[in-house]
Amino acid sequence: MERRHHVFSVDLLERYATKGRGAITCMTTGNDVIVLGTNKGWVIRHDFGVGDSYDIDLSVGRPGEQSIHKVFVDPGGSHCIATVIGSSGAETYYTHAKWTKPRILSKLKGFVVNAVAWNRQHITEASTREIILGTDNGQLYEMAVDVKDKMEKYIKLLFELKELPEAFTGLQMETASVHNGTRFYVMAVTPTRLYSFTGIGSLDQRRAVHFAWLSGAGIYYGDLKFGAQHSSPNGDENFVENKALLDYSKFSEGVEGVKPSSLAISEFHFLLLIGNKVKVVNRISEQIVEELYFDQTSDAVSRGIIGLCSDASAGLFYAYDQNSIFQVSVNDEGRDMWKVYLDLKEYAAALASCRDALQRDQAEAAFVAKEFLRAASFYAKINYVLSFEEISLKFISIGEQDALRTFLLRKLDNLSKDEKCQITMISTWATELYLDKINRLLLEDDGALNSNNTEYQSLIKEFCAFLSDCKDVLDEATTMKLLESYGRGDELVFFASLKEQYKIVLHHYIQQGEAKKALQVLQKPNVATELQYKFAPDLIMLDAYETVESWMTTKSLNPRKLIPAMMRYSSEPHAKNETHEVIKYLEYCVHRLQNEDPGVHNLLLSLYAKKEDESALLRFLECKFGKGQPGGPEFFYDPKYALRLCLKEKRMRACVHIYSMMSMHEEAVALALQVDSELAMAEADKVEDDEDLRKKLWLMIAKHVIEQEKGTKRENIRKAIAFLKETDGLLKIEDILPFFPDFALIDDFKEAICSSLEDYNEQIEKLKQEMNDATRGADNIRNDISALAQRYTVIDRDEECGVCRRKILNVCGDYRMTTGYMALGPMAPFYVFPCGHAFHAQCLIAHVTRCTNQAQAEYILDLQKQLTLLGAEPKNVSNGGLSEEPLASVTSMHKIRSQLDDAVASDCPFCGDLMIREISLPFILPEEAEESESWEIKPHNHPSQRSLSLAV
């Protein structure tokens, strides 16, 4: 056969399809899904439709090596059955596309499943319905699985080969409608036999029309015709027709025919796997038309191509070796079949298969007979005889718009995806023809729009289906302009939804007042959130309840951006008993969503303030919204704005609460007095830390209470006295007396004044007692000081000075000390501390000065200098002799000496703070740097000496 290009082509689909899970042992396909089995017990599913894959390990929990014997998947790609064989026997598993864990078919334990027939006419994603399993020991089982139960509903034995037990290697099940119901047809093959079974059932859908079997002698093939009334001699229906046997020698290179290792059947061809290539044999001419070769890896060549399988749902064929998957594509395999039939002199079949000349003749005949729709269908199939323009003009010239539309639609079906410009232009033309037809129907029948006009309604449905099919090829702007110019609002909305132009859709629904439909559009997952904010003002005015309900079910909304819409709604008058939808939504945001936006809180507060009932406003003000957060604020609204708003709306109790919250207690009490004295008292009691402020607030309340009383004077006084008791003693009678008029008689206050005087007497007595206690304490302190002045200690005659280590009691050469101290007898002045340490006065002063800080040392030296100067002043001469020093000089010397004693002898330098502070001083002081350097050991190198390096 001459060909312009190859009908069949091979492409590598997946090089390492098992992802390291072992070598491929078996493969099956269905609905663009490929399921592999490996020699390590893994089942690997590739779903190319959604671009997903996952693995299932069936060897888990089974000892020894495991291998997948067979895998089967239904035509829809949802249900899968796999048999694994290992040292412990065979197990069969079922799994679903949405499961991650398979279920074992326990009743099939030990049986090796070789073939599965799916009830593809009635199978669904949720249920397998009836399926048939063929085993290697010649048994057929029926089974069904419901996904929701996650287990098989039943497994029962249908048939068993007893005379000639052989393994079933292939199964196929079909159904057909007959007069008394639906008949099941089952074909089963073994290595040497082909069996057929029939039975009455209740299923009917698309069926296979051809079959082929790799028998021992050749390819046994034929046609399947179900539901025909052809019976065999024993009364069974015979559904196999046109049977033939194709000998293997016809397509074998050698003399002896070689049986193919695998077979797949297309509409007009057999695909035979022989060795490492696929021979394509035309089923009608029985001639080899193509040979397909595979690009295998070096490690897979030795094992070769393992098998072929077909995906009837997707119309694809696959081949596989131990690690790769190859796809065999088919491109218009029936286009040259007319030549095949012509060579075989089957002219009727050749004419039926002709694509151009014959179809032209048929089209012309239909056109002459004025069967324009039929003619349009024929013209659409012509590729080379007449041009597109010629055919279009034929229908335009006679005004057959419907036929022209049909021709364009059929032409679209025959165009390839690469012809994008032609597809777009023809689709746009067809759109205008649809719109023209719709308008013509409306002109012919004015009530067609609102009536159940069958033709009009069916045309609208057809047009919408056309828009849906062509949404990706139609130019968006042009199509929308066409729909708008023809006034087709519903179809414009439909097409805009297809193109995800939701802004146009929402405008339309809002103009029509259909808020619910607009909200349904906004709930779609691919609608931009910004459209929610854009159309919120219009939607809430159309249907506030539905709009707010939609807002509350949409998680991604920012309530702040909805404030303009809510304010527009709130500006409109509302009935007293009407549910305020904005308040409902804001309460949801604040309490349920824990919203912290000040704008949201302020808006809710303003709406509460406008309500006549102040209770909701007070409850809102008392809520501590941020109390759940560490260090968070108690509220998120602006208190100053809230105060201004409540004052404007005359919500006085709310104003009192806000003043109190802002610690403006005087203003809170003053405002509360205008509302209720009890409220003012409660506000005054909130001040606990500041007693003066609390008293001031109570005085404000007392003044107000007294001034507001309008009864008799004596009754007013009685009420004032009762008010004093409520202050828990904070106010006295004298505090409130200035609030009474000057002419009030004191007799009216006698009882209260007496009570107050008694309180003062008690306080005076208490103060006297405290003064007496203080006086006694002072006397005790003076006595202790006097006792200290008489204190003494005993010193051993061998006691040494803690600094100079000389004896304390040695005779001093100079009885008059230069520091201002006078020698007592022949000894130098000294200090003795309670701890037992003793120091010469001069030694102690020198030690403390050296060890203390610079400021303290200068202070001690200054005191020494002053004592020295005072001790060096000349004595006054009286009667030719020395007189005693003036009293002022002696007093000054004692004062300075006392200051010096405090500076150097406040505590023992060896036991007190001075010694503790010395811990932080370095051993070598900065002024001793020269002495520390003198201790450094430095090498002295002489010229006569040499340094030798010794190798270690």
Side-chain angles (χ1 to χ4, degrees):
M1 286 173 44
E2 297 180 0
R3 296 185 182 275
R4 291 181 297 276
H5 54 82
H6 292 290
V7 173
F8 292 85
S9 60
V10 175
D11 298 296
L12 176 64
L13 184 64
E14 191 79 20
R15 175 64 77 188
Y16 298 103
T18 64
K19 299 182 289 187
R21 304 295 191 185
I24 300 175
T25 58
C26 51
M27 187 176 100
T28 184
T29 63
N31 195 26
D32 220 6
V33 172
I34 293 179
V35 180
L36 305 172
T38 75
N39 60 355
K40 293 186 178 179
W42 285 84
V43 171
I44 301 167
R45 175 189 174 92
H46 295 277
D47 192 338
F48 293 100
V50 298
D52 189 19
S53 67
Y54 64 84
D55 313 338
I56 298 177
D57 188 3
L58 298 186
S59 65
V60 175
R62 293 168 58 86
E65 294 184 358
Q66 309 294 325
S67 178
I68 304 298
H69 173 65
K70 288 281 187 179
V71 287
F72 309 93
V73 70
D74 76 295
S78 298
H79 311 277
C80 178
I81 295 174
T83 299
V84 57
I85 299 178
S87 57
S88 58
E91 295 279 7
T92 301
Y93 291 83
Y94 168 84
T95 187
H96 191 269
K98 295 181 179 179
W99 292 3
T100 57
K101 184 178 180 181
R103 297 292 185 272
I104 190 169
L105 302 176
S106 57
K107 293 184 179 179
L108 294 176
K109 182 177 178 61
F111 294 102
V112 177
V113 177
N114 278 340
V116 171
W118 302 96
N119 188 349
R120 57 183 182 175
Q121 280 77 28
H122 210 230
I123 194 170
T124 65
E125 185 179 359
S127 174
T128 63
R129 300 303 297 247
E130 302 83 359
I131 57 177
I132 299 175
L133 296 84
T135 66
D136 67 341
N137 59 354
Q139 293 178 332
L140 295 181
Y141 287 89
E142 181 184 343
M143 180 187 75
V145 178
D146 275 344
V147 175
K148 64 180 180 180
D149 299 330
K150 294 191 175 181
M151 61 181 296
E152 65 272 21
K153 293 177 64 176
Y154 64 88
I155 296 179
K156 63 182 179 181
L157 179 66
L158 287 181
F159 178 77
E160 184 175 6
L161 296 174
K162 295 183 179 180
E163 295 181 359
L164 183 63
E166 288 184 305
F168 283 107
T169 57
L171 284 173
Q172 182 76 12
M173 175 170 32
E174 302 290 348
T175 63
S177 295
V178 293
H179 66 282
N180 57 346
T182 300
R183 179 174 291 275
F184 283 84
Y185 301 90
V186 179
M187 297 183 71
V189 294
T190 68
T192 61
R193 297 286 187 276
L194 185 149
Y195 298 89
S196 63
F197 307 88
T198 62
I200 298 296
S202 60
L203 305 176
D204 183 26
Q205 282 189 17
R206 188 180 62 176
R207 299 174 301 277
V209 293
H210 307 295
F211 81 94
W213 170 40
L214 290 176
S215 67
I219 301 176
Y220 181 68
Y221 66 97
D223 299 331
L224 300 175
K225 190 168 185 180
F226 305 107
Q229 300 301 318
H230 304 293
S231 300
S232 61
N234 58 4
D236 293 334
E237 181 179 325
N238 185 7
F239 54 89
V240 179
E241 295 182 346
N242 302 324
K243 300 181 289 293
L245 182 67
L246 177 59
D247 194 277
Y248 294 137
S249 61
K250 288 190 176 183
F251 44 81
S252 296
E253 297 175 357
V255 178
E256 185 178 354
V258 177
K259 181 180 179 180
S261 59
S262 186
L263 164 71
I265 182 172
S266 66
E267 184 179 3
F268 295 107
H269 297 85
F270 297 131
L271 279 72
L272 306 176
L273 177 61
I274 301 176
N276 274 3
K277 61 183 177 181
V278 171
K279 294 186 177 183
V280 180
V281 178
N282 188 284
R283 180 170 54 85
I284 305 302
S285 65
E286 297 185 349
Q287 299 295 318
I288 299 175
V289 294
E290 289 183 15
E291 290 188 357
L292 308 178
Y293 297 88
F294 301 92
D295 179 17
Q296 291 184 272
T297 57
S298 56
D299 56 338
V301 172
S302 59
R303 187 175 177 186
I305 302 297
I306 299 174
L308 298 173
C309 55
S310 60
D311 184 347
S313 301
L316 296 173
F317 299 90
Y318 299 94
Y320 61 97
D321 60 18
Q322 65 182 10
N323 57 18
S324 302
I325 303 174
F326 303 91
Q327 178 175 309
V328 180
S329 302
V330 185
N331 181 22
D332 193 12
E333 64 173 318
R335 66 170 182 261
D336 292 329
M337 287 303 298
W338 64 273
K339 294 183 180 180
V340 175
Y341 287 118
L342 192 63
D343 292 340
L344 296 174
K345 298 183 180 181
E346 296 182 11
Y347 302 113
L351 286 173
S353 303
C354 182
R355 296 284 181 89
D356 293 326
L358 174 64
Q359 288 168 353
R360 178 188 177 181
D361 294 339
Q362 292 173 328
E364 294 292 344
F367 192 89
V368 170
K370 295 186 178 181
E371 298 177 1
F372 298 112
L373 295 179
R374 185 165 172 264
S377 298
F378 283 121
Y379 277 130
K381 298 178 182 179
I382 299 174
N383 293 323
Y384 308 109
V385 180
L386 290 177
S387 68
F388 172 80
E389 292 80 1
E390 289 179 280
I391 299 172
S392 300
L393 287 171
K394 286 175 70 69
F395 292 113
I396 293 173
S397 62
I398 61 173
E400 279 295 329
Q401 302 292 336
D402 294 343
L404 177 61
R405 188 179 73 252
T406 301
F407 167 67
L408 296 179
L409 295 177
R410 298 296 177 269
K411 194 66 179 178
L412 280 175
D413 294 338
N414 294 330
L415 290 175
S416 66
K417 295 181 180 180
D418 297 334
E419 299 174 291
K420 295 180 180 179
C421 292
Q422 293 90 327
I423 291 174
T424 299
M425 288 189 291
I426 294 175
S427 300
T428 305
W429 192 2
T431 301
E432 189 168 11
L433 291 175
Y434 267 118
L435 292 171
D436 180 69
K437 175 66 174 179
I438 291 170
N439 273 5
R440 281 191 282 114
L441 286 178
L442 289 175
L443 291 173
E444 294 170 4
D445 184 0
D446 294 337
L449 189 61
N450 300 319
S451 67
N452 295 325
N453 187 306
T454 305
E455 185 180 1
Y456 174 78
Q457 297 296 336
S458 61
L459 184 62
I460 292 295
K461 290 181 180 179
E462 182 183 340
F463 181 45
C464 289
F466 168 77
L467 292 176
S468 180
D469 292 339
C470 299
K471 65 181 177 64
D472 295 326
V473 297
L474 283 169
D475 180 71
E476 184 178 308
T478 304
T479 305
M480 287 188 175
K481 192 172 181 180
L482 269 175
L483 293 169
E484 186 178 3
S485 64
Y486 276 85
R488 304 306 304 174
D490 293 339
E491 288 74 24
L492 175 62
V493 169
F494 177 77
F495 183 72
S497 299
L498 293 174
K499 300 299 290 185
E500 298 185 357
Q501 291 292 335
Y502 298 112
K503 190 174 179 180
I504 297 174
V505 178
L506 291 169
H507 269 302
H508 173 79
Y509 283 141
I510 290 174
Q511 287 176 356
Q512 299 296 321
E514 297 178 343
K516 288 185 179 180
K517 290 184 178 180
L519 290 170
Q520 289 173 358
V521 172
L522 288 172
Q523 289 295 326
K524 292 183 178 181
N526 52 346
V527 176
T529 308
E530 292 302 320
L531 293 179
Q532 290 271 12
Y533 309 131
K534 179 177 177 62
F535 292 98
D538 295 325
L539 288 171
I540 198 170
M541 296 306 295
L542 278 177
D543 193 333
Y545 173 79
E546 292 293 342
T547 301
V548 168
E549 290 294 319
S550 175
W551 288 353
M552 289 193 294
T553 56
T554 305
K555 296 181 180 179
S556 60
L557 286 181
N558 182 0
R560 184 180 185 86
K561 294 185 178 181
L562 296 172
I563 288 178
M566 292 188 282
M567 293 187 69
R568 179 180 177 184
Y569 171 82
S570 302
S571 63
E572 298 291 326
H574 300 281
K576 290 183 179 179
N577 298 328
E578 180 185 353
T579 301
H580 200 293
E581 297 300 330
V582 168
I583 292 180
K584 181 176 75 174
Y585 177 67
L586 290 174
E587 288 175 341
Y588 170 80
C589 295
V590 169
H591 298 295
R592 292 285 299 278
L593 301 182
Q594 306 294 319
N595 186 279
E596 300 179 2
D597 194 318
V600 173
H601 285 253
N602 286 339
L603 179 58
L604 180 55
L605 188 144
S606 69
L607 296 177
Y608 279 143
K610 293 178 182 177
K611 296 180 69 175
E612 293 184 4
D613 186 2
E614 200 174 355
S615 58
L617 175 61
L618 291 173
R619 285 196 301 271
F620 179 77
L621 292 173
E622 291 169 0
C623 282
K624 296 182 178 180
F625 297 101
K627 63 183 179 180
Q629 304 175 4
E634 293 187 352
F635 54 86
F636 298 105
Y637 53 85
D638 184 357
K640 295 180 181 179
Y641 167 76
L643 183 60
R644 289 195 303 271
L645 186 67
C646 293
L647 287 172
K648 177 183 176 183
E649 301 292 338
K650 300 188 184 312
R651 305 295 180 227
M652 296 307 176
R653 288 183 179 271
C655 292
V656 171
H657 179 85
I658 297 171
Y659 273 132
S660 176
M661 183 180 61
M662 297 171 68
S663 298
M664 301 173 67
H665 299 289
E666 293 185 43
E667 291 81 355
V669 171
L671 189 60
L673 289 172
Q674 300 178 22
V675 181
D676 185 7
S677 298
E678 295 292 335
L679 179 61
M681 293 178 189
E683 288 298 322
D685 275 337
K686 289 182 179 179
V687 180
E688 298 178 353
D689 300 334
D690 192 340
E691 194 70 18
D692 293 337
L693 177 59
R694 188 164 177 263
K695 185 174 181 179
K696 183 178 181 181
L697 297 177
W698 276 104
L699 283 172
M700 291 172 61
I701 299 170
K703 181 178 180 181
H704 177 81
V705 170
I706 293 170
E707 290 177 351
Q708 292 298 315
E709 293 295 340
K710 296 181 180 179
T712 62
K713 294 179 181 178
R714 192 171 297 278
E715 182 66 20
N716 293 349
I717 293 170
R718 187 186 65 77
K719 289 183 178 180
I721 300 303
F723 174 77
L724 289 177
K725 294 180 181 179
E726 293 185 13
T727 64
D728 294 331
L730 183 65
L731 298 183
K732 303 295 182 183
I733 186 63
E734 61 270 25
D735 296 324
I736 66 171
L737 280 177
F739 304 144
F740 288 95
D742 296 339
F743 50 80
L745 298 177
I746 197 170
D747 292 343
D748 298 331
F749 301 97
K750 181 171 61 177
E751 182 180 350
I753 292 173
C754 290
S755 175
S756 180
L757 290 174
E758 288 175 1
D759 291 340
Y760 281 122
N761 284 334
E762 290 180 3
Q763 293 178 14
I764 290 170
E765 291 299 326
K766 189 179 294 185
L767 288 173
K768 284 182 179 180
Q769 183 65 34
E770 291 176 356
M771 291 173 64
N772 291 335
D773 293 342
T775 302
R776 285 194 296 271
D779 292 340
N780 291 335
I781 291 172
R782 280 193 292 272
N783 292 334
D784 290 343
I785 292 172
S786 299
L788 286 173
Q790 302 299 324
R791 188 175 55 173
Y792 66 91
T793 184
V794 177
I795 300 175
D796 190 271
R797 65 180 180 181
D798 294 329
E799 184 71 29
E800 296 179 347
C801 172
V803 177
C804 68
R805 314 308 299 175
R806 290 183 293 175
K807 289 183 170 46
I808 289 292
L809 301 179
N810 278 357
V811 176
C812 180
D814 184 4
Y815 296 146
R816 187 171 183 87
M817 305 297 291
T818 59
T819 60
Y821 283 93
M822 291 300 295
L824 303 176
M827 294 179 294
F830 59 88
Y831 288 93
V832 179
F833 293 93
C835 60
H837 292 111
F839 303 91
H840 290 119
Q842 188 67 25
C843 295
L844 179 61
I845 292 171
H847 178 72
V848 173
T849 304
R850 184 174 66 254
C851 295
T852 190
N853 57 58
Q854 183 176 357
Q856 181 70 7
E858 291 177 354
Y859 173 67
I860 294 172
L861 293 175
D862 184 59
L863 293 175
Q864 276 188 296
K865 184 177 180 181
Q866 292 181 39
L867 283 178
T868 303
L869 292 175
L870 288 174
E873 291 179 357
K875 307 291 189 298
N876 292 330
V877 179
S878 178
N879 296 327
L882 294 174
S883 66
E884 295 186 3
E885 297 179 2
L887 182 60
S889 176
V890 173
T891 303
S892 177
M893 183 176 291
H894 282 296
K895 182 180 179 181
I896 294 172
R897 186 178 294 117
S898 177
Q899 293 175 354
L900 184 60
D901 288 343
D902 290 339
V904 300
S906 60
D907 59 359
C908 177
F910 287 179
C911 304
D913 291 340
L914 188 63
M915 179 59 72
I916 294 173
R917 289 197 299 271
E918 284 184 351
I919 294 174
S920 61
L921 295 177
F923 288 112
I924 301 175
L925 298 176
E927 59 267 20
E928 298 174 337
E930 293 183 1
E931 183 177 352
S932 64
E933 290 177 359
S934 67
W935 285 88
E936 290 186 8
I937 301 175
K938 298 181 180 179
H940 297 281
N941 293 330
H942 297 282
S944 59
Q945 295 178 342
R946 294 184 178 178
S947 298
L948 299 177
S949 59
L950 301 178
V952 180

